[in-house]
Structures are given as structure tokens and as C-alpha cells.
Amino acid sequence: MTRKRVHPVAVAVKAYSPGTRRAVRVRRPAAPPRLEGLAPDPEHAWRHDNIGRLFVFAFSFFEERLLERIHGAGHREVKHIHFNLFRNLDRDGTRLVELARRVGITKAAMGQLAREGARLGLFRIGADPSDGRAKIVSFTPRGQRLHRVFREQIDLLEAEFRHLLGARRYRSLRADLLYLRERLSGPP
């Protein structure tokens, strides 16, 4: 299967030699995707370079590439918003209210998202056997297959980051992020 590279580290472009007008291939660094939304501002570099903004940039880049890969694997119906279900749904299902809490949205908004996922055949919404008023969201067989595609594509995307950073830097970054998560989510 051929993989499309959308955000390569360098881009080969066709240019014309000014003297001879012959076509030549030129390699130049690729422009990063405009995920930040701010125009460059040297006087206020802190707006671009603070650690939170850098985390958001890396996260947004990762999510964009993941969505491109999911679409490339034939699942064009998936949108970014659906990541919230795939990312937070337990394998055996999760209460709708718990999903809303994990994502940080209202129960009504999560209900709407879950109904859209059910319409796409990815999730089912059923009554909680322990409380008939509560709803449980779970994967359908199709959703489980797509969940495996997510895992495969995330593994490939992580390999792309490992290649971009080099193995040692990648291991260090990953270890530091895991350490940070542990420290920030420690005892309440």
C-alpha cells in the first residue's frame, strides 16, 4: 500500500534554471503546517514559544497526521471530533456521563457525539444494566476494527516522529512526557 506523505521534512520541487530554462529538482525545507493560527511576531515570541503552545502545536500536528492516515486507510467518515470517543471509550463500554467528564464537555454534547458515532455504525448506545436511566456507549464490531486501525496508524506515526527526532531524542522526549504525566496526575 502506498503511503502519501503530506508534511515531509523536505520537499522536492520542480523549478526552472534561470539561464537555460531547464527543469531541475530542488530540495527545500517544508513549511510547517499553519496550525498555530498566529502570525509570526518577533516582539512577542513568548506567545509562540511557551511550552503550552509548543505542546498544542505538536498535538495538533500529530492529530492532523493521524486523521490523514485514518482517511488514507479508507475511513473518510471519521472527523477530529470522533477522536474524543476513540480516545476515551473503555474496551467494554463507558457511561455517557463519564465520557463527557473525560472529554470536558456537557452530557448533552457527548450524547450528540455518541449518536453521530452510532449513526456511522462505530458505536452503540445502550442502557446501563445497573441503572436503567444511565446510558453506556460501546464499540460496535466495525468500531473495534477501526480502533485497531487507529492503533496501527498511531504506531506508524510514532515511527515517523522517531525517524524525525532520532531514536535517542525520541526515547528521551517520550520518557520526559511520561514522567510529566505521572507528576502532574499524582495524588490529588
Side-chain angles (χ1 to χ4, degrees):
M1 177 152 81
T2 307
R3 303 232 183 265
K4 181 176 139 187
R5 290 193 57 166
V6 177
H7 299 293
V9 176
V11 178
V13 296
K14 189 183 236 183
Y16 292 94
S17 167
T20 63
R21 301 289 301 155
R22 289 188 325 200
V24 293
R25 291 181 66 78
V26 179
R27 290 184 61 79
R28 64 174 170 76
R34 290 206 37 98
L35 299 171
E36 292 187 85
L38 289 175
D41 181 0
E43 289 186 40
H44 299 97
W46 62 270
R47 293 182 69 203
H48 297 276
D49 297 339
N50 69 74
I51 194 164
R53 190 74 173 196
L54 295 172
F55 281 144
V56 168
F57 178 81
F59 175 75
S60 297
F61 183 86
F62 189 90
E63 295 279 290
E64 281 294 320
R65 292 290 288 134
L66 180 57
L67 186 62
E68 289 168 3
R69 288 175 171 276
I70 296 297
H71 286 174
H75 300 279
R76 305 235 14 114
E77 75 280 9
V78 175
K79 300 176 193 163
H80 272 120
I81 192 74
H82 299 131
F83 286 15
N84 289 309
L85 284 168
F86 281 98
R87 193 182 291 125
N88 291 288
L89 187 60
D90 295 314
R91 290 185 64 108
D92 297 327
T94 307
R95 277 188 169 191
L96 188 77
V97 68
E98 175 61 17
L99 284 170
R101 187 196 64 74
R102 289 176 186 178
V103 175
I105 61 177
T106 66
K107 181 180 163 188
M110 180 52 73
Q112 183 178 352
L113 178 58
R115 284 189 301 278
E116 181 181 336
R119 183 182 57 76
L120 294 171
L122 302 171
F123 308 99
R124 75 169 76 44
I125 305 169
D128 183 340
S130 65
D131 180 354
R133 298 168 299 165
K135 300 292 183 204
I136 297 247
V137 179
S138 57
F139 288 108
T140 63
R142 182 169 183 249
Q144 289 173 340
R145 286 190 301 274
L146 182 54
H147 197 247
R148 285 190 293 274
V149 172
F150 264 83
R151 173 63 191 264
E152 292 164 5
Q153 296 306 319
I154 286 171
D155 287 346
L156 291 170
L157 190 50
E158 287 203 16
E160 189 177 311
F161 271 74
R162 193 170 24 261
H163 177 74
L164 180 67
L165 293 171
R168 193 166 81 205
R169 268 187 150 162
Y170 176 81
R171 279 192 310 273
S172 176
L173 174 64
R174 197 170 195 318
D176 289 345
L177 290 171
L178 288 168
Y179 177 76
L180 187 60
R181 180 178 70 183
E182 180 182 317
R183 292 298 304 260
L184 295 177
S185 63

